[in-house]
Amino acid sequence: MSAKSVETIVESGTEVFIPLNKLKKSPKNARKTPHSDAAIEALAASIAAKGILQNLVVEPELDGEGAATGFYVVTIGEGRRLAQLLRVKRKEIKKTEPIRCIVDTVNDAHEISLDENVTRENMHPADQFEAFKKLADERGFGAEEIAARFGVTAQVVRQRLRLAAISPRLMQVYRDGDLTLEQLTAFALTEDHARQEAVFDRLSYHRDASIIRRLLTETHVPATDRRARFVGIEAYVEAGGTVLRDLFTEDRGGYLEDVALLDLLVTARLGREADALRAAEGWKWTEAHLDFPRAHGLRRVYPHQVELSAEDQAALEAARNQIDQLSEWHQTTDEIPDHVDVRFCELEAEIDRLEAKRQAYDPDDVARSGAFVILSHDGDLRIERGYIRPADDKPRSQPEQPGDASESLEVGGAGGEAAEGGEGEGDGEENGTDDEEEDCPLSDLLVRDLTACRTLGLRLNLSEQPGIAIVAMTHALAAQIFYVGANAHVVGIQPNKTDLASHAGGIEDTAPGKAWADRHANWARQLPRDVACLWTFVAALDYDSRMALFAHCVALTVNAVKLPWERRQRALATADRLAQAVELDMTGYWRPTARSYLGRVTKARILDAVREGTGTEAAKRIADMKKLDMADAAEQLLAATGWLPALLRTPKHDQGRVGEPPNEQTGATYPLAAE
């Protein structure tokens, strides 16, 4: 039947054109929940591209007396009516646009409205994916054009096209109901059908999407990897590398497929940086390494304090004055202007540059030593200077120097390494022979007898002088920590140092790790260069400085690392008592992030952390998120809460603080309070 104008035909079953502004929503429409904005957008795009493919069903509107009002209410097609109104708002059509309709005054309006929404079946998603692919392949439509014709985003189209490229074998498994859509999207991470099928064959009954993604990328490098951050994705791609992108999850930049190329680029850039450092600073050698070579066995020298030149001192004071002025001008400003913030950063960088000039290496040390150029845990460049190879070292007959000695704690590390070479108790010691009578040297037996008696006397006297005992202890610890191999200590107490970097990768690059390295280097710079002068140095320190050095050396020996194969319950319990005594608050050194904790535990533990830190409601809001999204959300939620996992919490004090201040007149220390 040909369409006719509404003015002449209104019989039931007639196809008519009705002006858009004469159509209203039917009060008998079964759909009470309104259409979503996205659905209306999609309908509008479809109509704009292809017209209305299905007629609206309407009935005449009647007034209270049963007379026609001239308007029609839409029984079926309310979404299409709203889509056309949206097009009017966008000035794509006029409000009088004629709409093809079927008049139905016979059937119950509510029933046919319900029938329209119930007795139908959506196409299988696999059919939809393949239909989109057909549009792209046969009609040459790009993602943006397809998106415009169907009212969806280009990203949605790209996702459907990627799903359409799944291995036909896996697509059939999905059609058969043996794969969920979430699992299918995980396989869509790669377009390599052989790789998809190989991973599918490796799966057991547990087919979580995260496992599928992990297996698909096990030979790749995530863009968050320190190597990728160091080289840069653009440089990697420019060199011919490819990046695998996940269109369905936040992949943080994707996965780099050519690991060999990435490693080559990293090595090349580290080498260039090492060459540039040697040329700029004059080191005898520089070596590039991905990780710090902890078994290097080399001695180390440190920079010493120098005075700034008058020019640099003036520049430093000027920069500080400018920062003070800017701070004063903007102290009441809620938000600092961008240009002021940039200036702050420039001034701070200038101050750091000038302050660095206060430390300088002796030219002789630079000429005979070298530096390691390393890739840090965060993908930044890390430089460790002042290492001397054995062939370049001074003869053993010359005075030992703390800068020459290989320190057992590497700068930048958060924990000490075992001392290279060992102490060698007694190695190279003179036998103490009394040469007073050249022709009649004392026998070894007599020497041992006499020196044993002297040792006993030393013990008796030292036991009565705690202040001197602290000097001796500090000397022994410092001699072994800062002058490795010198064998200059008389107190038989040896520091046992644990390299924390071997237990926690990148710990030396954290703020606490760098703070410890700076503290250690600061002591190394202050100690005398000749170990023979160490006793005089320690004895001459004021009480607070001596105790600070003593505490630093003792702290280096602390080991509260929990290893699965060790049974150190009593030692770890003592670590808890030590944490109480020093009032340890790990919130100053650690915070829960996706990298440090949240991304490395189960979803259940993430939710427990959020529940403890912010409450049940916050945990409920993120409960349905995927693992990576949940970890990121939890990081934001916990940022300002001070939440810590149980292993980092300090038990509450069960007694008062231990220790008493020293007696300044005698130098003696009072006994510690019993715990």
Side-chain angles (χ1 to χ4, degrees):
M1 179 183 297
S2 61
K4 299 184 179 180
S5 66
V6 67
E7 287 81 1
T8 58
I9 298 292
V10 293
E11 291 87 353
S12 181
T14 302
E15 181 179 295
V16 296
F17 283 106
I18 302 176
L20 177 60
N21 60 353
K22 293 294 184 179
L23 297 176
K24 294 183 177 180
K25 179 180 179 179
S26 171
K28 300 177 183 178
N29 196 311
R31 181 191 289 270
K32 301 304 180 185
T33 303
H35 293 77
S36 67
D37 292 341
I40 300 303
E41 286 276 359
L43 281 170
S46 175
I47 293 171
K50 300 172 284 289
I52 296 180
L53 302 179
Q54 184 180 0
N55 293 341
L56 282 65
V57 177
V58 301
E59 64 175 351
E61 181 186 52
L62 303 178
D63 60 18
E65 299 179 356
T69 64
F71 288 89
Y72 287 78
V73 292
V74 179
T75 305
I76 295 176
E78 175 62 13
R80 279 157 274 165
R81 184 184 75 89
L82 294 175
Q84 289 291 66
L85 288 176
L86 177 61
R87 297 185 65 210
V88 170
K89 184 177 181 181
R90 293 174 174 172
K91 301 188 183 304
E92 295 178 11
I93 58 174
K94 296 180 178 180
K95 63 181 179 179
T96 56
E97 176 78 9
I99 308 298
R100 185 185 292 108
C101 303
I102 298 292
V103 177
D104 189 336
T105 57
V106 175
N107 294 302
D108 179 76
H110 180 269
E111 183 178 348
I112 63 174
S113 172
L114 178 62
D115 194 285
E116 168 77 4
N117 290 282
V118 173
T119 56
R120 64 177 179 176
E121 181 178 5
N122 289 330
M123 68 190 308
H124 193 282
D127 297 334
Q128 181 186 135
F129 306 151
E130 293 176 351
F132 269 73
K133 186 174 184 299
K134 186 174 182 179
L135 285 176
D137 293 344
E138 296 184 2
R139 302 185 63 181
F141 289 163
E144 286 73 15
E145 186 170 358
I146 295 175
R149 296 176 71 86
F150 287 89
V152 294
T153 65
Q155 175 68 0
V156 168
V157 175
R158 281 189 283 268
Q159 288 176 341
R160 293 173 182 174
L161 293 175
R162 178 68 69 84
L163 287 167
I166 288 284
S167 158
R169 176 188 166 196
L170 297 190
M171 188 65 79
Q172 188 57 51
V173 175
Y174 171 55
R175 290 182 188 275
D176 294 340
D178 292 327
L179 275 179
T180 66
L181 181 58
E182 183 181 15
Q183 293 164 344
L184 193 71
T185 60
F187 279 110
L189 179 59
T190 177
E191 296 183 18
D192 186 338
H193 289 181
R195 181 73 176 148
Q196 293 171 350
E197 293 175 7
V199 168
F200 177 76
D201 291 337
R202 289 174 59 186
L203 294 176
S204 61
Y205 66 91
H206 190 45
R207 298 178 175 179
D208 187 79
S210 62
I211 294 177
I212 296 171
R213 288 189 177 91
R214 178 172 57 79
L215 292 176
L216 285 170
T217 58
E218 61 185 350
T219 60
H220 301 352
V221 172
T224 54
D225 185 273
R226 58 177 178 154
R227 291 169 291 174
R229 296 168 69 178
F230 178 63
V231 170
I233 300 297
E234 291 184 2
Y236 164 79
V237 173
E238 186 177 347
T242 55
V243 180
L244 194 65
R245 297 303 307 265
D246 191 338
L247 298 180
F248 300 91
T249 65
E250 174 54 53
D251 62 7
R252 294 171 173 79
Y255 302 87
L256 283 64
E257 296 186 278
D258 195 336
V259 182
L261 173 62
L262 176 63
D263 287 339
L264 181 64
L265 294 173
V266 170
T267 302
R269 183 179 170 191
L270 284 174
R272 292 194 300 271
E273 296 286 356
D275 292 342
L277 178 69
R278 185 168 64 254
E281 299 184 9
W283 298 101
K284 182 172 184 179
W285 56 266
T286 52
E287 286 185 9
H289 293 270
L290 189 62
D291 298 299
F292 186 80
R294 301 191 179 281
H296 55 74
L298 305 182
R299 296 171 180 267
R300 187 172 198 180
V301 294
Y302 283 93
H304 56 274
Q305 295 280 353
V306 296
E307 293 293 330
L308 291 178
S309 66
E311 182 181 356
D312 285 339
Q313 185 63 43
L316 180 62
E317 292 175 0
R320 286 174 172 167
N321 289 336
Q322 285 190 52
I323 279 191
D324 291 342
Q325 289 178 357
L326 289 174
S327 299
E328 183 178 352
W329 291 341
H330 297 279
Q331 62 182 351
T332 58
T333 305
D334 292 335
E335 187 173 348
I336 297 177
D338 290 342
H339 71 280
V340 175
D341 189 44
V342 169
R343 185 55 182 158
F344 265 119
C345 293
E346 293 173 347
L347 290 171
E348 289 170 351
E350 177 67 4
I351 290 173
D352 289 342
R353 185 185 68 83
L354 293 169
E355 287 286 2
K357 288 188 174 184
R358 294 186 186 276
Q359 306 291 329
Y361 288 88
D362 286 339
D364 290 344
D365 288 337
V366 174
R368 68 190 180 117
S369 60
F372 294 111
V373 177
I374 312 145
L375 185 59
S376 76
H377 185 66
D378 295 326
D380 296 324
L381 201 66
R382 176 179 153 205
I383 300 173
E384 299 293 349
R385 300 172 173 85
Y387 289 92
I388 305 177
R389 290 169 172 164
D392 301 320
D393 207 352
K394 291 181 179 179
R396 296 286 295 182
S397 60
Q398 295 192 21
E400 291 288 343
Q401 300 177 358
D404 295 340
S406 170
E407 50 148 346
S408 55
L409 173 67
E410 299 300 343
V411 169
E417 301 175 22
E420 286 109 39
E423 288 302 319
E425 289 291 335
D427 291 347
E429 290 291 332
E430 297 181 358
N431 61 13
T433 300
D434 188 348
D435 291 330
E436 209 170 302
E437 298 179 27
E438 284 188 25
D439 296 334
C440 300
L442 299 179
S443 68
D444 290 343
L445 184 60
L446 180 56
V447 169
R448 290 172 62 186
D449 189 311
L450 294 176
T451 53
C453 290
R454 185 170 187 260
T455 298
L456 180 57
L458 285 171
R459 289 180 178 180
L460 286 168
N461 280 28
L462 186 61
S463 67
E464 297 173 354
Q465 301 182 59
I468 302 302
I470 288 294
V471 174
M473 174 80 82
T474 305
H475 173 272
L477 292 173
Q480 296 172 84
I481 288 172
F482 293 98
Y483 304 80
V484 175
N487 200 17
H489 60 289
V490 69
V491 175
I493 294 175
Q494 296 180 339
N496 184 12
K497 303 172 287 294
T498 299
D499 178 17
L500 297 182
S502 65
H503 298 293
I507 192 172
E508 67 269 31
D509 295 321
T510 64
K514 292 175 181 176
W516 173 265
D518 290 344
R519 183 175 300 177
H520 190 82
N522 185 51
W523 275 116
R525 285 191 290 268
Q526 297 180 60
L527 296 180
R529 299 180 66 77
D530 187 349
V531 70
C533 302
L534 180 61
W535 179 276
T536 303
F537 173 84
V538 174
L541 290 172
D542 61 71
Y543 176 81
D544 289 341
S545 298
R546 185 185 308 132
M547 294 306 291
L549 176 58
F550 174 72
H552 176 79
C553 293
V554 171
L556 183 56
T557 71
V558 170
N559 179 14
V561 178
K562 186 176 182 180
L563 299 175
W565 56 85
E566 289 186 343
R567 295 294 179 266
R568 301 174 60 229
Q569 286 84 352
R570 291 177 180 173
L572 296 175
T574 303
D576 286 341
R577 305 301 295 273
L578 176 61
Q580 293 174 344
V582 299
E583 298 181 345
L584 177 64
D585 180 4
M586 283 299 297
T587 59
Y589 306 125
W590 186 94
R591 66 185 183 90
T593 65
R595 173 179 288 185
S596 68
Y597 180 81
L598 299 167
R600 301 164 64 182
V601 297
T602 63
K603 292 175 66 173
R605 285 192 180 273
I606 297 175
L607 293 175
D608 286 343
V610 173
R611 198 174 293 112
E612 289 180 10
T614 62
T616 303
E617 289 302 317
K620 287 181 178 178
R621 289 198 301 271
I622 68 172
D624 295 330
M625 290 184 177
K626 294 180 180 179
K627 171 76 174 292
L628 292 178
D629 295 334
M630 181 185 289
D632 288 339
E635 178 178 333
Q636 298 299 319
L637 290 169
L638 295 172
T641 64
W643 179 88
L644 294 170
L647 282 171
L648 296 184
R649 299 174 189 173
T650 298
K652 293 183 179 179
H653 287 277
D654 52 4
Q655 292 193 21
R657 187 175 173 84
V658 301
E660 294 291 341
N663 184 321
E664 292 292 342
Q665 292 183 343
T666 65
T669 54
Y670 296 104
L672 295 179
E675 289 191 50

